[in-house]
């Protein structure tokens, strides 16, 4: 049994982010292959989000201590609580390291006994530096787009209006304020560009506040967040350009699953040239300088000039970052001989340091204080002639 352990005390929400989609998609695909997999939640009973996932097995435990006793292969899918496990465990690093120093020690402690998995090469390097571990010890398992995105038909589009979609969470780090600034540049003409924003993340206080701002903006159509791959694929197919203006001042997108979903669905993506977003290129990616409203506006106009993604390019995009490839990559990590975790390396070094020191060398007979034989010793030594009888 492969159990993906969700954050203690938090339900697994549907349609709110890459880590949720990654977890649910992996469980679904593993079960399809006949490999038992499930989501484990902590401290919530059945009110843990399972109602939104009819085809995903859930298992709820009361405390973190109950997780310690599970005889499963445990993959911690979000937070890294410090706990022991029956078998070697794994930690997926979905988000960037925290900014505040006080979180450093707890994360080092929570991950030191786990095999680490990042979602991009960029994220692996970021976490290796933060945790002070060898980059080669962090595996990369890329996220994916569900098959639904590549096969969703695209309805006809009016050539006069480019339909732009922002579907990230309503938080500053996802770049929503950069988008609002871009809309106020003189580059935008409401007759040629329309903008739609989803309510993803509005269930949090910060998101609710931003949603209120968006409702009052005359140039934005606010629509409900989509909760399933099929719903999201339909929404993407109704748009031409998806924007991902991720903030690079204090947040670095580790990958950006929405980027590959959008490209599979036939959209062009305008994203910040930061973090793992450049690694999401499926052939329809336009990169712009982060935190720059003018650059974002220019990127949208570039995508408009490029026009619709040709069918053969969309088909090629759909063969990259697939669910099958992602799950196969995860299984390769789970089935490999685990490399020493940071904790085991430290323990081995501590054992080495605790060994008694080697005894001091004793001078040989006939040697001076430095251990070197004297000239008199050499003169008195018998001479052996090579080849003599």
């Amino acid at each position: 049994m492969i159990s993906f352990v969700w954050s203690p005390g938090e339900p697994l929400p549907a349609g709110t982010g890459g880590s949720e989609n990654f977890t649910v998609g992996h469980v679904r695909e593993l079960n399809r292959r006949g490999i038992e997999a499930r989501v484990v939640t902590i401290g919530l009973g059945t009110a843990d989000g399972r109602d939104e996932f009819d085809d995903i097995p859930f298992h709820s435990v009361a405390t973190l201590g109950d997780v310690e006793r599970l005889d499963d292969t445990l993959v911690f899918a979000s937070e890294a609580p410090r706990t022991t496990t029956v078998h070697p465990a794994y930690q997926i690093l979905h988000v960037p390291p925290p900014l505040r120093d006080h979180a450093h020690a707890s994360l080092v402690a929570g991950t030191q006994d786990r095999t680490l998995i990042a979602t991009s090469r960029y994220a692996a390097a970021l976490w290796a530096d933060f945790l002070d571990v060898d980059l080669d010890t962090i595996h990369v398992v890329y996220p994916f787009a569900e098959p639904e995105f590549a096969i969703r038909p695209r309805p006809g589009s009016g050539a006069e209006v480019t339909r732009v979609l922002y579907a990230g969470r309503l938080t500053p780090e996802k770049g929503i304020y950069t988008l609002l600034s871009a809309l106020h540049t003189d580059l935008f003409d409401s007759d040629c560009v329309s903008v739609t924003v989803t309510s993803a993340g509005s269930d949090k206080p910060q998101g609710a506040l931003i949603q209120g701002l968006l409702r009052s903006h005359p140039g934005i159509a606010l629509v409900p967040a989509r909760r399933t791959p099929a719903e999201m694929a339909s929404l993407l197919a109704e748009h031409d350009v998806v924007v991902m203006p991720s903030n690079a001042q204090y947040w670095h997108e580790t990958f950006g699953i929405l980027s590959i979903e959008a490209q599979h669905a036939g959209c062009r993506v305008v994203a910040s040239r930061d973090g793992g977003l450049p690694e999401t290129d499926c052939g329809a990616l336009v990169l712009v300088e982060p935190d720059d409203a003018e650059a974002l506006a220019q990127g949208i106009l570039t995508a408009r000039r490029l026009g619709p993604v040709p069918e053969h390019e969309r088909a090629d995009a759909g063969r990259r970052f697939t669910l099958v490839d992602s799950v196969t990559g995860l299984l390769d990590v789970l089935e490999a001989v685990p490399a020493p975790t940071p904790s085991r390396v430290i323990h081995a070094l501590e054992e080495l340091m605790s060994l008694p020191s080697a005894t001091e060398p004793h001078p040989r007979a006939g040697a001076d204080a430095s251990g070197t034989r004297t000239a008199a010793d050499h003169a008195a030594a018998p001479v052996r002639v090579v080849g003599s009888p």
Side-chain angles (χ1 to χ4, degrees):
M1 173 69 76
I2 301 174
S3 289
F4 291 79
V5 183
W6 199 246
S7 300
E10 293 187 11
L12 178 67
T16 60
S19 54
E20 295 87 348
N21 293 343
F22 186 101
T23 301
V24 170
H26 273 233
V27 171
R28 186 180 289 119
E29 173 64 13
L30 287 166
N31 285 324
R32 188 192 68 79
R33 297 188 189 191
I35 301 171
E36 288 187 305
R38 63 185 179 180
V39 174
V40 171
T41 57
I42 304 168
L44 298 172
T46 58
D48 55 4
R50 67 184 63 192
D51 291 345
E52 298 186 82
F53 303 101
D54 295 337
D55 59 338
I56 301 297
F58 274 67
H59 177 67
S60 178
V61 298
T63 67
L64 193 57
D66 295 319
V67 174
E68 297 180 1
R69 294 184 284 274
L70 291 176
D71 190 23
D72 302 355
T73 296
L74 298 181
V75 180
F76 289 83
S78 47
E79 291 185 9
R82 188 171 187 179
T83 182
T84 59
T85 56
V86 174
H87 303 292
Y90 302 81
Q91 180 72 49
I92 300 182
L93 305 166
H94 277 293
V95 297
L99 292 172
R100 311 306 172 204
D101 291 340
H102 65 80
H104 183 269
S106 63
L107 262 172
V108 170
T111 58
Q112 65 180 352
D113 286 315
R114 297 176 192 164
T115 297
L116 304 177
I117 302 171
T119 55
S120 66
R121 295 188 302 274
Y122 171 84
L126 199 65
W127 277 101
D129 181 65
F130 179 82
L131 297 173
D132 193 22
V133 300
D134 193 324
L135 177 60
D136 291 339
T137 66
I138 302 183
H139 304 269
V140 174
V141 176
Y142 277 113
F144 55 88
E146 293 272 7
E148 184 70 33
F149 292 93
I151 63 174
R152 176 66 57 171
R154 292 184 62 83
S157 169
E160 297 301 319
V161 178
T162 298
R163 303 162 299 177
V164 176
L165 173 67
Y166 173 98
R169 288 193 300 274
L170 299 181
T171 60
E173 59 264 25
K174 294 293 185 178
I176 183 63
Y177 291 121
T178 304
L179 174 61
L180 289 173
S181 296
L183 297 185
H184 291 284
T185 70
D186 59 357
L187 297 173
F188 267 89
D189 183 345
S190 59
D191 291 334
C192 66
V193 176
S194 67
V195 179
T196 300
V197 176
T198 74
S199 63
S202 62
D203 55 319
K204 301 294 193 297
Q206 192 177 59
L209 174 63
I210 295 172
Q211 181 177 245
L213 298 176
L214 297 175
R215 282 201 181 106
S216 65
H217 196 297
I220 291 176
L222 185 65
V223 301
R226 301 313 196 250
R227 301 296 183 186
T228 67
E231 291 176 352
M232 192 65 196
S234 294
L235 180 64
L236 290 171
E238 294 168 357
H239 290 83
D240 307 299
V241 177
V242 171
V243 290
M244 299 186 69
S246 182
N247 182 310
Q249 299 174 45
Y250 57 89
W251 167 274
H252 302 282
E253 198 77 53
T254 52
F255 183 69
I257 194 170
L258 176 60
S259 175
I260 57 173
E261 290 174 342
Q263 291 176 79
H264 281 214
C267 300
R268 296 198 183 276
V269 174
V270 178
S272 294
R273 187 183 288 104
D274 183 68
L277 283 166
E279 295 179 52
T280 67
D281 191 3
C282 295
L285 181 65
V286 176
L287 294 172
V288 299
E289 288 304 304
D291 308 308
D292 187 328
E294 176 85 2
L296 178 62
Q298 292 283 10
I300 293 171
L301 294 180
T302 296
R304 173 178 166 81
R305 286 194 297 271
L306 290 171
V309 176
E311 279 301 318
H312 72 277
E313 292 185 12
R314 180 187 178 188
D316 183 59
R319 289 188 283 269
R320 307 183 193 185
F321 300 109
T322 67
L323 173 57
V324 170
D325 289 342
S326 183
V327 171
T328 298
L330 178 67
L331 289 174
D332 287 343
V333 175
L334 301 186
E335 293 167 359
V337 176
T341 63
S343 174
R344 290 159 75 184
V345 171
I346 292 171
H347 182 68
L349 290 173
E350 289 174 342
E351 284 189 334
L352 183 63
M353 293 295 291
S354 68
L355 293 175
S357 300
T359 56
E360 292 295 328
H362 297 288
R364 291 175 293 174
D368 61 17
S370 66
T372 304
R373 291 174 67 86
T374 63
D377 296 326
H378 285 291
V383 176
R384 177 174 180 267
V385 179
V386 178
S388 61

